[in-house]
Amino acid sequence: MNRKARATLQDVAQLAGVSTATVSRALSRPDLVQEETLARVSDAIARLNYVPGGAARALASGKTLTIGAVVPTLDHAIFARAIQAMQTELAGNGYQLLVAAHDYAPAQEAAAVRAMLARGVDALMVVGADHLEETWALLTTASVPVVLSWSFDARLPAIGFDNEKAGRLIADHLLDLGHRRFGMISGFTHANDRARSRVAGVRAALAARGIELPSSCVVEAPFTLAGGRAGLAELMARATPPTAVVCGNDLLAAGALFEAQASGIAVPGALSVVGIDNLEIAAHLAPPLTTVHLPTTELGRTVARHLLARLRGEAQPQRVELPIELVIRRSATAPATSPALAREPS
Amino acid sequence: MNRKARATLQDVAQLAGVSTATVSRALSRPDLVQEETLARVSDAIARLNYVPGGAARALASGKTLTIGAVVPTLDHAIFARAIQAMQTELAGNGYQLLVAAHDYAPAQEAAAVRAMLARGVDALMVVGADHLEETWALLTTASVPVVLSWSFDARLPAIGFDNEKAGRLIADHLLDLGHRRFGMISGFTHANDRARSRVAGVRAALAARGIELPSSCVVEAPFTLAGGRAGLAELMARATPPTAVVCGNDLLAAGALFEAQASGIAVPGALSVVGIDNLEIAAHLAPPLTTVHLPTTELGRTVARHLLARLRGEAQPQRVELPIELVIRRSATAPATSPALAREPS
DNA sequence: GCGGCTTATGCAAGCGCTTACATGAAAGCT
DNA sequence: AGCTTTCATGTAAGCGCTTGCATAAGCCGC
């Protein structure tokens, strides 16, 4: 309850009868100070309830022991999980995590990056490759290590996924199952290269089999269950509804599944639904969701390690692509109505 | 790409032909400097690409413009959402958010609190009232505003929910429906007073109607869907399975619902299931989940505002209890088998 | 027993800002 | 015109720590 000003290094030094330099060393390089002195210092520290002041420390040493992360939102399992993993890894190495979310608003992102750089972080991670010119300038001229995550860009080291491949993987699976009429529910693609890549991947896979995915068949919805439901409803209201819909992520897919269930559309009987991300819920939905697994926890951990390594002066690869993988469950099967036999005409 | 050392206030002052004090003022109290000077300074700042250094600023001014939040985990929608709200509110006021997650490990929490205090935060929020003595000492003697969230404790200002009431609300509802045989799936209660309070609330409500909830009927499971599934499976394997199970939170409830569905137990026909939290998914599950709504976004926002206000020197209430509310959906009805008529014997 | 080496510690110069206080110029008053 | 205010700016003293360098022991071998 004592509210007096914090004790300073000076106070400790005085109480212990040594110089401030010694106290400082006792704190950061205990191997350099004699055992007995160390004991006296520790005692003084304990007695004064001394806690070193980060600001002074940062100013004098040039390191803040803080790493920044700028993400679109924490209110999405995918980012929350990666940040959680990152934080755990950092804390284990004596670093702290400063987070900012910008809600997919590029200007807010720029502000966040600027604020972090100003505030002082020893390293920084940002999500994706869609940034304002201003943000890019800040990022590429920053005097601290910066890393991109989730996707790639030649301008900066990056640790991410091949989002386009995720789209291709899942589309190919549907194609192999015999589907020919597709719909897609994507998250908003504005300021979101991941979402755009996934759509592009799906398009590319279909195009490779001679199928076009007109933009009228891809609806953009907010990244929520409700968004997924609305998206599916819209798609199924079309004159010729799709037999398969790929969702930009599992949240949207879960929403689509709920909507199908609510409106009596049998999945996978009458409609196949697939997602991307492989959230925990995907495995538990009815039917369990076929999706593409993205190792987001590992992403967070890898980002943290990469940054930590660079801070130690170790060179790091410019690009690390984390493996993704199709996970087949039961929400997608061959289309009921269309001639599966038409597949692979020989 | 220029990697030379950052420009300092000095450099700017020199370029603009003014003193460092003036530049500093131009930055923080522009109203105090003449327009023309201001222009010259801004120009110099832009030309040098100057970004003020937070460390020096913090040291000189004693404020870090950073607020810390220590939560159990970000990998749970409930915390992620509150943190997101907090961050948004803070960013809008020029503050940044430092987060740490401790995974329900008290010692890690203590370390996190200590690290934040050392690092320098202008204010701090922690979750719940279960803390190590060490942590309490840190918290109560901190020289910066601290606030508890989610639950309450007389030792510190708090903004939270009445978790016990949440338990009572939901249990009373089930009781009113006519249930007499209960089971409960709780999250781990170790280092988690919220979970304990909820169980206690349920117990109290039942006791008030003469029903005992033996600890053999409450199973503790990890806060995941899988945990909920396992919990339900365990409960239903009992000699006399419950007709209603209340889950410590919606994630567990969703898991329980999935398990019921997978094992052919009709909900709410054969079994009523309820949760607490009111996550987005609760409304979309089949059947939609009866639960208790906790305004977590508002919690985050309120915490941020409370702290901000105290930093401005405004007095704030010692205790703010956010309203919670029963939301009745379709996962709970009168028990099929038991005599609903037995209810309220007159 | 003396030069030279290794330790353990102290000295003091900053790190890059903020902010009283001082200064000087312009403006207002009588 | 002389005096007080007011306003814009400069001066300089820190903020609490880190760290390169200097210093002072203690130790070795010859």
Side-chain angles (χ1 to χ4, degrees), chain A residues 170 173-175 177-179 181-185 232 235-236 242-247 253 256-257 260 265-275 287-290 329-336:
Chain A
I170 202 77
H173 175 62
L174 256 15
L175 249 5
L177 251 18
H179 290 277
R181 288 208 319 274
F182 297 87
M184 177 156 188
I185 305 175
L232 188 75
L235 249 19
M236 298 312 282
T243 62
V245 356
V246 359
C247 299
L257 242 29
I265 299 171
V267 174
L271 177 74
S272 287
V273 172
V274 299
L289 190 66
T290 288
R329 286 198 271 245
R330 291 191 267 105
S331 66
T333 54

Side-chain angles (χ1 to χ4, degrees), chain A residues 225-226 229 254-255 258 261, chain B residues 279-289 329:
Chain A
L225 291 172
R229 295 191 68 153
F258 288 137
Q261 186 167 346
Chain B
L279 298 186
E280 192 201 0
I281 196 177
H284 299 288
L285 257 5
L289 190 68
R329 284 199 273 246

Side-chain angles (χ1 to χ4, degrees), chain B residues 36-255:
Chain B
E36 191 223 310
T37 314
L38 199 54
R40 229 145 17 102
V41 171
S42 316
D43 185 63
I45 288 180
R47 175 135 58 230
L48 291 175
N49 222 297
Y50 169 73
V51 177
R57 197 174 254 210
L59 179 57
S61 69
K63 9 201 85 269
T64 60
L65 296 185
T66 300
I67 285 180
V70 178
V71 299
T73 176
L74 285 170
D75 202 3
H76 190 313
I78 232 63
F79 296 119
R81 171 161 307 176
I83 290 295
Q84 162 82 14
M86 211 178 146
Q87 197 274 325
T88 301
E89 186 74 20
L90 292 180
N93 285 272
Y95 277 79
Q96 305 201 50
L97 213 220
L98 205 53
V99 281
H102 54 69
D103 263 313
Y104 297 96
Q108 251 189 267
E109 183 188 46
V113 168
R114 180 183 302 282
M116 294 216 158
L117 256 17
R119 169 91 221 306
V121 289
D122 290 346
L124 185 60
M125 91 131 208
V126 296
V127 171
D130 266 13
H131 306 289
L132 250 27
E133 258 326 309
E134 179 192 351
T135 307
W136 275 114
L138 248 21
L139 257 22
T140 53
T141 64
S143 53
V144 298
V146 175
V147 66
L148 250 44
S149 61
W150 298 89
S151 48
F152 306 94
D153 189 288
R155 282 168 280 188
L156 247 22
I159 297 171
F161 308 115
D162 184 339
N163 289 288
E164 185 175 332
K165 178 176 167 193
R168 267 186 284 122
L169 236 38
I170 202 77
D172 276 334
H173 175 62
L174 256 14
L175 250 5
D176 289 346
L177 251 18
H179 289 278
R180 291 298 177 268
R181 288 209 318 276
F182 297 86
M184 178 154 188
I185 305 174
S186 168
F188 291 122
T189 54
H190 170 68
N192 187 340
D193 61 301
R194 287 85 62 205
R196 278 203 307 283
S197 295
R198 293 178 185 183
V199 175
V202 170
R203 275 226 167 79
L206 298 195
R209 313 279 263 262
I211 300 178
E212 199 202 346
L213 182 66
S215 54
S216 69
C217 288
V218 359
V219 339
E220 289 199 6
F223 281 124
T224 61
L225 291 172
R229 294 192 68 154
L232 188 74
E234 184 174 342
L235 250 20
M236 298 311 283
R238 299 282 153 89
T240 53
T243 63
V245 356
V246 1
C247 299
N249 64 41
D250 283 0
L251 205 58
L252 256 15

Side-chain angles (χ1 to χ4, degrees), chain A residues 6 12 22 28 33 36 54 61 72 88 106-108 117 129 157 165 185 203 210-211 267 273 285-287 292-293 321:
Chain A
R6 288 161 59 136
V12 176
T22 300
S28 42
V33 6
E36 190 223 311
S61 69
T88 301
Q108 251 187 267
L117 258 16
K165 178 178 169 192
I185 305 175
R203 274 225 167 80
I211 299 177
V267 174
V273 172
L285 257 6
V292 176
H293 178 72
E321 184 182 322

